[in-house]
Amino acid sequence: MAKTDYKTINEYHQAFPKEIQERMQDIRELVHKIAPEAEEVISYQIPAFKIGKNFLIYYSAYAKHISLSNPWSEALLTEFESELKGLKVTKSAIQLPNDKSLPLDFIERLLKFRKKETVKTK
């Protein structure tokens, strides 16, 4: 992954193998389903989605996982505590292993929760 001056999410996706691109596209489509008003941006050279001036979520791809990231609230970490067990989680990232199916239902609920937090802080 030599290129690091991405201007669009499409450019970012194209730097990865097809299987990883498909996983990222699934996340992207979920974001647009949950928050059609979200603007696609590149921030910190990774895909991100904003509602107004607030970031809804970021994602990034790696050889062994895809990370969903944002400074997570204590409320979010508590709400999804049971689903987060078994995943590598920090205060700002959740790693979803590439050798397992994407937990789309979980991601959708996480996005809905984040949207409520994001819109509330606008």
Side-chain angles (χ1 to χ4, degrees):
M1 215 171 66
K3 183 175 177 168
T4 58
D5 62 340
Y6 303 109
K7 303 286 187 244
T8 68
I9 289 179
N10 286 339
E11 284 182 10
Y12 183 87
H13 283 199
Q14 290 165 1
F16 293 89
K18 185 170 178 26
E19 310 79 53
I20 303 299
Q21 288 182 35
E22 289 170 1
R23 291 170 71 81
M24 289 189 291
Q25 187 62 29
D26 286 344
I27 295 167
R28 185 185 197 180
E29 288 170 7
L30 267 180
V31 171
H32 286 297
K33 174 183 168 187
I34 303 306
E37 72 277 27
E39 174 190 0
E40 291 190 353
V41 297
I42 292 290
S43 181
Y44 301 105
Q45 285 300 295
I46 62 173
F49 297 85
K50 289 174 79 172
I51 297 177
K53 293 184 180 196
N54 296 317
F55 283 92
L56 175 67
I57 199 163
Y58 301 76
Y59 65 79
S60 51
Y62 303 91
K64 297 190 177 188
H65 68 275
I66 288 181
S67 281
L68 300 178
S69 53
N70 203 68
W72 307 124
S73 67
E74 283 301 318
L76 182 140
L77 294 172
T78 301
E79 176 75 17
F80 296 102
E81 189 174 3
S82 63
E83 283 115 329
L84 296 174
K85 283 190 185 346
L87 297 174
K88 185 166 184 187
V89 179
T90 66
K91 289 182 179 182
S92 62
I94 299 167
Q95 292 183 7
L96 305 171
N98 287 335
D99 62 355
K100 295 189 171 121
S101 296
L102 269 180
L104 296 175
D105 180 61
F106 162 67
I107 296 169
E108 184 171 341
R109 286 182 289 112
L110 179 119
L111 286 168
K112 287 177 180 175
F113 192 94
R114 275 294 304 138
K115 183 177 178 181
K116 285 181 192 165
E117 288 185 325
T118 303
V119 172
K120 187 169 42 174
T121 60
K122 265 173 105 172

